[in-house]
């Protein structure tokens, strides 16, 4: 599903050049749950942003679904994201002016899904995430755990092939964090590939492979028995 060959990312300004990733080689198969770990500043989020086509590499090759995507235009990358990818962020990134239903509906509008089908799919996923009773509430009226459930619902409502999660439990207490991890685990078991950045060994236990980064390079990979 994903193949990286010598992927490198350098951030440049007029005075400073920062090497964020150096010659990363990685393959992710359909249906995997991969955790990316490492100390702060090691390149985890940079790698996730490159994989999610939210940023472009400085050098190297990236194939997504057997298509070379490393140097596509923003319009081309946006089209691939819209039809294949879902995102869950640490800070939820919900739109405060929209209620729960509208936040989850938004990706379907971008995809051109018809009104009645949007309604059915939003209700189905909100019910699955046990947040349907809050569909008319706004983000500020929800707890952190509820907001993250809405964020997960928004990420999966478009039935993406892959979900990218950046510290999805970072702002949650342990109980709500475990709830979100169970949701991601369930999504993965239904066939969706999940790639997650985390500092939490417990969260990583839900994955079946852990990739460890240090100074912008992969230093090792471990195959895990999934947490249950």
């Amino acid at each position: 599903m994903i193949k990286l060959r010598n992927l490198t990312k350098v951030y440049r300004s007029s005075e400073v050049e920062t090497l964020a990733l150096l010659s990363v080689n990685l393959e992710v198969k359909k249906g995997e749950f991969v955790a990316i770990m490492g100390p702060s500043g090691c390149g985890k989020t940079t790698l996730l942003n490159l994989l999610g086509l939210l940023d472009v590499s400085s050098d190297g090759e990236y194939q997504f679904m057997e298509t070379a995507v490393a140097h596509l235009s923003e319009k081309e990358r946006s089209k691939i994201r819209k039809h294949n990818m879902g995102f869950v962020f640490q800070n939820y990134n919900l739109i405060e002016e929209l209620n729960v239903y509208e936040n989850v509906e938004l990706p379907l509008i971008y995809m051109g899904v018809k009104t009645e089908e949007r309604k059915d799919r939003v209700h189905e996923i909100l019910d699955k995430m046990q947040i349907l009773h809050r569909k008319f509430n706004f983000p500020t009226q929800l707890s952190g755990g509820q907001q993250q459930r809405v964020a997960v619902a928004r990420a999966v409502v478009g039935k993406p092939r892959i979900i990218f999660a950046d510290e999805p439990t970072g702002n949650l207490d342990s109980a709500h964090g475990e709830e979100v991890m169970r949701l991601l685990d369930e999504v993965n078991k239904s066939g969706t590939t999940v790639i997650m950045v985390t500092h939490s060994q417990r969260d990583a236990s839900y994955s079946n492979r852990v990739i460890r980064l240090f100074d912008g390079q992969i230093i090792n990979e471990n195959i895990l028995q999934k947490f249950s």
Side-chain angles (χ1 to χ4, degrees), residues 2-21:
I2 283 176
K3 292 183 180 180
L4 305 183
R5 292 291 178 268
N6 298 318
L7 204 71
T8 296
K9 178 64 179 180
V10 179
Y11 292 103
R12 295 183 175 92
S13 66
S14 58
E15 299 179 355
V16 179
E17 183 175 284
T18 303
L19 180 64
L21 293 173

Side-chain angles (χ1 to χ4, degrees), residues 52-220:
L53 301 179
L54 299 173
D55 199 357
V56 293
S57 60
S58 304
D59 198 9
E61 301 176 5
Y62 175 13
Q63 286 191 354
F64 179 76
M65 305 286 292
E66 300 185 347
T67 298
V69 297
H71 302 295
L72 295 179
S73 68
E74 170 53 30
K75 183 177 180 180
E76 292 168 325
R77 288 185 286 124
S78 177
K79 184 176 180 180
I80 292 174
R81 287 196 305 267
K82 181 168 63 176
H83 293 286
N84 297 281
M85 301 175 177
F87 297 87
V88 181
F89 301 98
Q90 178 176 348
N91 294 320
Y92 322 132
N93 283 15
L94 300 177
I95 299 174
E96 291 188 0
E97 294 78 15
L98 302 181
N99 63 30
V100 166
Y101 181 96
E102 293 164 337
N103 265 283
V104 176
E105 181 188 34
L106 199 57
L108 300 180
I109 294 175
Y110 290 147
M111 293 170 65
V113 177
K114 293 182 179 179
T115 303
E116 282 306 309
E117 184 180 352
R118 291 204 308 266
K119 181 179 179 181
D120 291 342
R121 285 168 68 171
V122 172
H123 280 163
E124 179 183 2
I125 197 64
L126 289 179
D127 185 46
K128 188 173 184 178
M129 298 295 171
Q130 300 179 5
I131 200 75
L132 181 59
H133 63 293
R134 294 283 197 170
K135 70 176 183 178
F136 294 127
N137 289 123
F138 290 87
T140 55
Q141 298 173 305
L142 305 176
S143 69
Q146 290 171 331
Q147 289 187 61
Q148 195 62 300
R149 268 190 277 165
V150 176
V152 173
R154 182 183 59 187
V156 303
V157 72
K159 300 179 180 178
R161 291 181 170 89
I162 187 166
I163 287 179
F164 297 102
D166 191 359
E167 298 282 2
T169 69
N171 287 333
L172 304 177
D173 60 36
S174 59
H176 287 121
E178 188 172 345
E179 176 185 348
V180 167
M181 289 310 305
R182 286 198 299 265
L183 291 174
L184 288 176
D185 185 50
E186 184 178 345
V187 168
N188 174 244
K189 287 176 178 175
S190 73
T192 303
T193 305
V194 178
I195 300 180
M196 173 184 68
V197 161
T198 183
H199 280 99
S200 167
Q201 192 64 52
R202 181 176 179 82
D203 289 358
S205 297
Y206 283 86
S207 71
N208 49 40
R209 181 155 59 114
V210 176
I211 295 167
R212 296 188 183 276
L213 289 182
F214 187 77
D215 286 350
Q217 295 179 287
I218 294 177
I219 56 172
N220 64 53

